[in-house]
Amino acid sequence: MSVVKSSLSEADLKVVGEALQGALADLVDLGLTAKQVHWNVVGPRFRSIHLQLDEVVTSARAHQDTVAERASAIGVTPDGRAATVAAQSAISEVKSGWIKDADAVQTMVDALQAVITRMRERVEVTDEPDPITQDLLIQVTGDLEKHSWMFQAESASGG
C-alpha cells in the first residue's frame, strides 16, 4: 500500500520505481566503496586521491538523497538497506587491506563506469514514462561522468 499517490500509471510507476531503486543501490554502494578506498589508500599520491575520494562520497550521498526523495514523491518506497544494496549494486567488491594508490584509482574508474553504464540505461527507460525522473538521472549521470573523467586522468598520469 502506498500512502503517496502517483500521477503515473501502474506500468510507468513500475519502470520508474525500478530505475530509481537501482540508482539508489548503486549510489549507496558507490559512496561506501569510495569511503572504503579513502580509508585504505596508500602511496605517493595518497593525499590527492584521498581528497578526490571524499568528493565522490559527498556527491554520491547528495544524489542518494535526491533519488530516494524522488522515489518517495511518486509513491515508491526507497530501500537503502545494506542487504538490498549488496544484492542490487553493479559495483564489484573492494578488496580488504591497504590499497596502493594506482589500484585505488583503478577501483574507482571501474566502480564509476559500472554505475554510469547502468545510469545511462535508466535514463533511456525513463524517457517516456517520466521525463522528470529522467532529468534527475541525467544530472546524476553527468556528475558521475565528471568524477570518472578525473579518475581516468589520474590513472593516465602513471602509477
Side-chain angles (χ1 to χ4, degrees):
M1 172 181 110
S2 179
V3 214
V4 178
K5 302 298 179 209
S6 176
S7 59
L8 299 175
S9 71
E10 284 299 316
D12 288 349
L13 190 59
K14 182 177 183 337
V15 169
V16 175
E18 287 174 2
L20 288 166
Q21 178 55 45
L24 178 61
D26 282 344
L27 289 165
V28 169
D29 201 20
L30 181 63
L32 293 171
T33 296
K35 198 46 111 167
Q36 180 67 23
V37 175
H38 168 90
W39 292 325
N40 291 288
V41 65
V42 294
R45 296 182 293 162
F46 162 80
R47 181 155 174 75
S48 64
I49 294 168
H50 185 79
L51 296 173
Q52 194 173 357
L53 289 161
D54 263 344
E55 293 173 9
V56 174
V57 171
T58 299
S59 285
R61 287 180 178 165
H63 292 314
Q64 291 166 28
D65 199 44
T66 302
V67 165
E69 288 178 356
R70 176 66 188 156
S72 293
I74 62 170
V76 174
T77 56
D79 188 350
R81 297 173 298 163
T84 303
V85 170
Q88 294 180 357
S89 175
I91 301 173
S92 299
E93 186 175 345
V94 177
K95 68 176 189 163
S96 63
W98 302 117
I99 304 171
K100 292 180 185 175
D101 49 10
D103 294 336
V105 168
Q106 190 59 53
T107 296
M108 291 310 300
V109 167
D110 294 344
L112 284 159
Q113 285 305 308
V115 174
I116 289 165
T117 297
R118 291 188 5 161
M119 285 295 186
R120 286 187 159 276
E121 293 167 1
R122 293 175 185 121
V123 166
E124 286 183 37
V125 301
T126 55
D127 176 34
E128 281 295 317
D130 188 20
I132 296 165
T133 295
Q134 183 193 42
D135 183 56
L136 181 151
L137 295 173
I138 288 169
Q139 291 176 39
V140 170
T141 304
D143 190 46
L144 296 178
E145 286 178 340
K146 179 180 173 188
H147 288 298
S148 179
W149 156 58
M150 291 182 175
F151 276 106
Q152 288 180 59
E154 180 75 30
S155 178
S157 71

